[in-house]
Amino acid sequence: MEHRKYNRKAYHAADPADVAVSQAIFNDMWELFVQIGKFWGKTEVVEDLRTDLLVFMNNRIAMDPSYLYDYKNASEVIKELIYEMGEEKGYESLFTDKSILDDPPTTLKARARQKVSNEFIVLYLSLGGFKDYGAENSLGYIGGANIKGKTPYRTIDK
Amino acid sequence: MKKQVDILIIGSGAAAASLSQRLLEKDPNRSILVLEAGIKVPMKDYKLYQDYLVTGTYPYQFCEDLNYPSIFGNGENVPVGGNQLQLSGGRAMMFGGSTAHWGGWSFRLKPEDFQLYTNTQIEGTIDWPISYDDLEPYYGQAEDYIGVSGDSTDQVPPRTTKYPFCEFPYTLEDQGTIEAFEKLGLDYAHMPIARHGISDTDSPHAPCKTTGTCKYCPFGARYFAGNFLDEMLKYGSFPNFEILQGAIVDRITMSSRSKATGAVYHDKFTTDSHTVEAETVIVAAGSIEAAKLMQRSVTPEWPEGVGNQKNNNLVGKNLVSHPFVYWEATLPENPQRLQPEMDFPTFISRHFDSKEQQPFGKFLTVRLNSFSDQFNMTTNNQVSTLTKAMQTGLNREEIDAVTTGPLNVQLITQVEVFTKTSNYVSNTAPNVINHLGMQETNVHYVPDSGFENRLDQIQTLLNPVFNEMGATNFRKASDSIRADHAACVTRMSDTPETGVVDKDLKVFDTDNLYVLSNGSFSSLGAINPTITLTALSLRLGDHLNSK
């Protein structure tokens, strides 16, 4: 009976094949991720992180299929903001507008901020974005093992 | 249908896992059945790890107690008569037990802890019927089993073996605290922490990769009993070792006052009732559930529940746990941009966890993560100042100001409190069931009247530390008494007049019923109990193996 579909490991009832993110939406989300780095970082986001972002998005969708719609919504919100304000100001508005932090979010822009942009911030920092702010390790960053002489965080002796 | 096994173990936490390991090392064919009331939550799952990273909600949170009922909503369990002990957040009722969420702080008791009554003469307290020297070899074995990283040169308390993995060096955040302790002549040390390190053995346990999300480690580098049990089932070649989940034990069965015959349990999903017969019965549930099970196990020879002697009914009494007290002060600036780089502390002090302080309530001191004064951050929250600043929309310049500006520094103290028979746990009515299908708990814990004075004394002792650090506005940020370290409710003693189990953890007047939980501690000391519990488990394993 192990082969039966109903025995598959599942977080929800949706068929994984029906909830895959499209290339177009992923490209928009990658651009959002890059813009997070530009707005807050000193160093540029490297292409290598594309895979990390895709894995992250697919994991979020696998946990909750509504993320598929949140990513689609974020893509549309960003397009509108850019159309209205230009690229730099559009992203700045999404990142800094303090009127869209109500919990739960009540507008599509607020939802794009809280369910997508703010989650990408956590991912961005956990993939090394924190290093622009002085630390060697951070919460969520896979810093490495405790090896003498190569301690993966700032110590007194360094 | 009845099952028949050599050994029945009730509960699947650190005690059950380490005891099973020790028993099966001696005889791999031994039949052992573990009954676990909770269920298995996936571990080392990257989706769940990322969800924890983003939301701060760990996937086994539903296995913890709900809050007490209040005007704000439904809850569970019954706080009786001014109770101050919180069950919510203190324990995890699941496969692997509370090691799912423990911090891994792996302190040994000190020699004086085993002689609490002799040293203090405090009414209601007792000495342990064993000494530190009796347990010392097992402490070393427990540290090997759990996988503790620690400083092997630290002889407080004395040790004859090395930790299996080297200590984690002090972080840069520790520097100010260390300088203050040195100026004041106070002892400090490295945190002994249950994180696997690099090993040249064929250990299946991954080393800690300092990911900083310890409550849900994606690698299983922090000891979790469920992972160890899984590995025993997968790789152990133990043909008669079995674990049942969702098996809620209703009562222990006895054929006479001295002879336990097994237990009756029900499947929480089907509600079907089952009987297990066993040569030896080990109650290895958490303290509270262990005591409640014994109270429920009423027989003609044990009319108040097994283990309850006629004249004292001690099962469930003498409840203690640790008050966690958070002390905080503010540094005016943070030019090194100090921020948490790990999810566990590296600096500890047992200076006040001493024989001199024992009569007043000795205490452990640990430096916790610091955080920006601008954000009201709580401890053990995986959201960093940087995350919070970016998510609330501060720009680069504003974040630079925040990360270099005033910094709140924190110490936490765990204070020893003393047993009193008036503090207790018991079962609610049988039909009052919690969200996990288990009978709810009546809990009554009221600290000694002098406890607030003790907190004032501790504040006075710690004030110079913060002064030396140059921090101001020293304050008690919060204090709480949670059930994380609930203990002593089936305590070990020389005599049934003052305890429930003997020095071998066997229930007085029985031949084959043992209680292996923090409940069997004679006193709690000022430290986290898991390493001591594991040492007792291995010792019990040797005792049973020698029979």
Side-chain angles (χ1 to χ4, degrees):
Chain A
M1 298 298 278
E2 282 299 312
H3 66 286
R4 297 285 187 202
K5 186 180 170 187
Y6 58 65
N7 279 328
R8 277 189 202 156
K9 192 173 176 184
Y11 298 98
H12 52 74
D15 187 329
D18 293 338
V19 287
V21 68
S22 72
Q23 185 65 49
I25 297 293
F26 175 69
N27 288 345
D28 291 344
M29 295 303 95
W30 171 250
E31 184 56 29
L32 168 60
F33 191 73
V34 169
Q35 291 293 334
I36 287 170
K38 275 189 186 168
F39 188 77
W40 279 293
K42 284 178 182 164
T43 51
E44 287 194 11
V45 172
V46 294
E47 269 305 296
D48 295 359
L49 299 183
R50 266 181 177 270
T51 315
D52 294 274
L53 180 65
L54 183 60
V55 168
F56 177 80
M57 289 171 61
N58 283 334
N59 280 344
R60 302 304 286 150
I61 293 167
M63 292 286 294
D64 179 355
S66 72
Y67 272 94
L68 190 67
Y69 302 96
D70 275 305
Y71 295 139
K72 185 164 172 280
N73 170 61
S75 167
E76 289 167 0
V77 165
I78 290 167
K79 283 191 174 81
E80 273 196 4
L81 289 171
I82 292 174
Y83 180 78
E84 187 179 286
M85 307 177 202
E87 182 176 283
E88 191 178 336
K89 290 289 177 193
Y91 279 109
E92 185 178 334
S93 171
L94 179 65
F95 295 151
T96 63
D97 185 348
K98 291 184 173 54
S99 73
I100 55 173
L101 291 172
D102 288 346
D103 185 18
T106 52
T107 66
L108 292 177
K109 184 183 178 187
R111 200 165 172 95
R113 167 79 165 274
Q114 293 180 38
K115 299 291 282 186
V116 182
S117 177
N118 275 357
E119 289 197 359
F120 283 8
I121 283 172
V122 177
L123 180 69
Y124 167 76
L125 289 171
S126 73
L127 292 173
F130 68 90
K131 289 183 180 176
D132 287 332
Y133 292 86
E136 285 184 23
N137 203 340
S138 187
L139 305 179
Y141 183 68
I142 300 174
N146 176 29
I147 299 171
K148 283 214 163 150
K150 294 182 182 176
T151 310
Y153 53 86
R154 287 187 293 173
T155 65
I156 293 171
D157 301 329
K158 283 185 179 174
Chain B
M1 196 176 79
K2 281 183 185 174
K3 262 183 179 295
Q4 286 190 315
V5 294
D6 292 339
I7 296 187
L8 171 64
I9 301 178
I10 299 163
S12 70
S18 53
L19 175 65
S20 309
Q21 177 78 37
R22 179 54 54 100
L23 294 172
L24 291 168
E25 279 168 0
K26 174 82 183 301
D27 178 2
N29 291 313
R30 198 162 202 169
S31 65
I32 298 177
L33 175 66
V34 175
L35 295 179
E36 169 52 52
I39 60 166
K40 188 181 286 189
V41 175
M43 292 289 170
K44 297 187 271 185
D45 179 310
Y46 208 66
K47 292 182 188 70
L48 293 174
Y49 159 70
Q50 289 200 314
D51 190 60
Y52 172 53
L53 181 65
V54 168
T55 66
T57 303
Y58 36 90
Y60 47 83
Q61 215 148 328
F62 72 94
C63 300
E64 297 176 347
D65 294 276
L66 302 181
N67 288 323
Y68 294 124
S70 75
I71 57 170
F72 301 110
N74 293 330
E76 60 193 20
N77 301 311
V78 182
V80 181
N83 169 63
Q84 294 183 29
L85 184 77
Q86 289 298 322
L87 294 185
S88 173
R91 57 193 187 139
M93 293 164 280
M94 58 184 280
F95 177 75
S98 296
T99 52
H101 71 182
W102 78 310
W105 300 8
S106 299
F107 300 101
R108 298 177 175 198
L109 288 167
K110 287 184 164 182
E112 71 265 17
D113 290 318
F114 292 80
Q115 294 182 301
L116 178 61
Y117 181 75
T118 299
N119 294 341
T120 67
Q121 302 292 307
I122 292 172
E123 189 183 348
T125 66
I126 56 173
D127 290 346
W128 288 59
I130 58 174
S131 69
Y132 178 82
D133 289 342
D134 291 331
L135 208 53
E136 200 282 331
Y138 291 101
Y139 269 128
Q141 295 169 31
E143 288 157 355
D144 280 341
Y145 167 77
I146 292 268
V148 179
S149 293
D151 177 4
S152 297
T153 66
D154 184 356
Q155 286 293 319
V156 180
R159 52 185 308 111
T160 56
T161 53
K162 289 184 174 179
Y163 286 106
F165 307 112
C166 67
E167 73 278 9
F168 281 82
Y170 296 117
T171 68
L172 192 59
E173 275 191 288
D174 291 328
Q175 187 165 31
T177 314
I178 287 175
E179 287 170 1
F181 270 67
E182 285 187 347
K183 280 181 190 164
L184 295 166
L186 306 177
D187 301 327
Y188 64 92
H190 291 277
M191 167 70 87
I193 190 93
R195 300 291 186 277
H196 274 258
I198 298 283
S199 165
D200 58 1
T201 68
D202 57 357
S203 165
H205 311 297
C208 172
K209 297 181 178 64
T210 59
T211 315
T213 50
C214 299
K215 283 202 183 294
Y216 193 83
C217 177
F219 310 107
R222 181 201 54 163
Y223 175 82
F224 167 55
N227 290 343
F228 276 52
L229 288 168
D230 272 339
E231 281 147 15
M232 289 169 71
L233 290 169
K234 269 187 194 168
Y235 312 121
S237 297
F238 304 132
N240 302 310
F241 180 49
E242 187 181 6
I243 304 172
L244 296 181
Q245 303 169 51
I248 299 176
V249 179
D250 300 310
R251 65 182 191 277
I252 298 159
T253 52
M254 308 285 294
S255 61
S256 64
R257 185 169 172 84
S258 61
K259 172 86 171 159
T261 54
V264 174
Y265 71 93
H266 70 271
D267 183 314
K268 68 186 270 185
F269 302 108
T270 66
T271 70
D272 292 344
S273 187
H274 303 273
T275 300
V276 182
E277 291 183 349
E279 294 297 317
T280 304
V281 177
I282 316 284
V283 181
S287 294
I288 293 170
E289 294 309 316
K292 285 166 61 187
L293 171 59
M294 294 173 69
Q295 292 168 345
R296 287 199 299 269
S297 302
V298 172
T299 72
E301 297 82 9
W302 293 100
E304 301 298 327
V306 63
N308 261 329
Q309 303 288 337
K310 267 184 191 164
N311 55 346
N312 58 20
N313 282 351
L314 284 179
V315 176
K317 292 179 180 173
N318 290 307
L319 174 67
V320 292
S321 193
H322 281 133
F324 302 131
V325 192
Y326 292 82
W327 307 95
E328 199 172 287
T330 305
L331 292 169
E333 58 179 1
N334 180 17
Q336 294 172 296
R337 294 176 186 268
L338 298 174
Q339 53 194 284
E341 300 193 26
M342 307 265 280
D343 194 22
F344 57 84
T346 45
F347 171 97
I348 64 103
S349 171
R350 301 189 74 172
H351 187 91
F352 299 109
D353 175 8
S354 64
K355 195 171 177 180
E356 291 69 34
Q357 293 290 328
Q358 194 172 23
F360 318 108
K362 59 197 331 222
F363 63 94
L364 170 76
T365 308
V366 177
R367 193 196 66 74
L368 295 180
N369 287 340
S370 49
F371 56 93
S372 163
D373 189 43
Q374 182 157 335
F375 295 111
N376 182 23
M377 308 286 282
T378 54
T379 54
N380 296 326
N381 184 338
Q382 98 293 0
V383 177
S384 68
T385 294
L386 208 48
T387 309
K388 191 97 172 172
M390 288 168 68
Q391 289 184 335
T392 51
L394 302 192
N395 63 30
R396 174 84 205 200
E397 290 70 32
E398 290 168 327
I399 294 178
D400 282 339
V402 167
T403 53
T404 57
L407 185 72
N408 286 329
V409 286
Q410 285 191 107
L411 297 174
I412 185 175
T413 51
Q414 278 179 196
V415 190
E416 174 166 36
V417 291
F418 305 116
T419 51
K420 294 191 297 186
T421 52
S422 56
N423 289 327
Y424 67 90
V425 290
S426 65
N427 291 282
T428 58
N431 61 342
V432 181
I433 302 298
N434 73 8
H435 73 290
L436 298 169
M438 301 160 70
Q439 203 164 331
E440 292 188 10
T441 305
N442 296 314
V443 53
H444 173 80
Y445 179 83
V446 177
D448 284 329
S449 56
F451 183 65
E452 286 300 320
N453 284 341
R454 181 57 179 155
L455 293 187
D456 290 342
Q457 290 167 3
I458 293 172
Q459 185 159 10
T460 302
L461 290 167
L462 292 181
N463 191 32
V465 173
F466 287 96
N467 278 342
E468 284 294 342
M469 290 168 69
T472 56
N473 189 21
F474 173 46
R475 64 247 179 215
K476 185 181 79 175
S478 66
D479 66 273
S480 65
I481 309 174
R482 281 202 334 193
D484 301 54
H485 302 168
C488 300
V489 286
T490 54
R491 70 184 182 184
M492 189 193 316
S493 182
D494 281 322
T495 159
E497 301 301 317
T498 55
V500 176
V501 299
D502 67 14
K503 65 183 175 59
D504 293 321
L505 303 177
K506 187 156 59 68
V507 175
F508 282 114
D509 296 347
T510 70
D511 296 333
N512 61 341
L513 175 61
Y514 297 82
V515 185
L516 178 59
S517 90
N518 297 338
S520 297
F521 286 22
S522 307
S523 62
L524 185 54
I527 47 87
N528 309 52
T530 302
I531 275 289
T532 302
L533 176 61
T534 308
L536 289 171
S537 303
L538 298 174
R539 182 172 172 271
L540 176 58
D542 280 357
H543 172 74
L544 295 174
N545 280 338
S546 69
K547 282 189 144 190

